[in-house]
Amino acid sequence: METLEEILTSSEVAKWIRVSESTLCRWRQRGMGPRVTWMTPTCPRYRRLDVEQWLARAS
């Protein structure tokens, strides 16, 4: 049985990694944060696995 990947909003990711949404946005603009998937031009989303991998690399 396949499992669906958990997709997170910017707000959820920011709360999880304990930064403000504006910091997450700034990192996204500079290519520094976790990998982002754009659902629409104004709707960024994050795969939980991508955030977990980014955190592992950052530590």
Side-chain angles (χ1 to χ4, degrees):
M1 184 170 143
E2 288 185 41
T3 59
L4 293 175
E5 293 184 62
E6 187 172 2
I7 304 297
L8 305 169
T9 65
S10 294
S11 176
E12 291 168 329
V13 173
K15 286 179 188 175
W16 178 16
I17 63 175
R18 296 184 179 173
V19 299
S20 67
E21 287 186 59
S22 62
T23 295
L24 186 61
C25 178
R26 194 169 42 256
W27 289 349
R28 187 171 58 235
Q29 291 169 338
R30 295 178 182 168
M32 298 171 52
R35 181 177 171 207
V36 63
T37 300
W38 292 92
M39 305 303 280
T40 68
T42 59
C43 185
R45 292 293 184 264
Y46 297 85
R47 290 178 27 208
R48 178 174 286 279
L49 179 60
D50 289 336
V51 178
E52 289 171 346
Q53 290 173 345
W54 176 80
L55 286 170
R57 287 191 306 272
S59 61

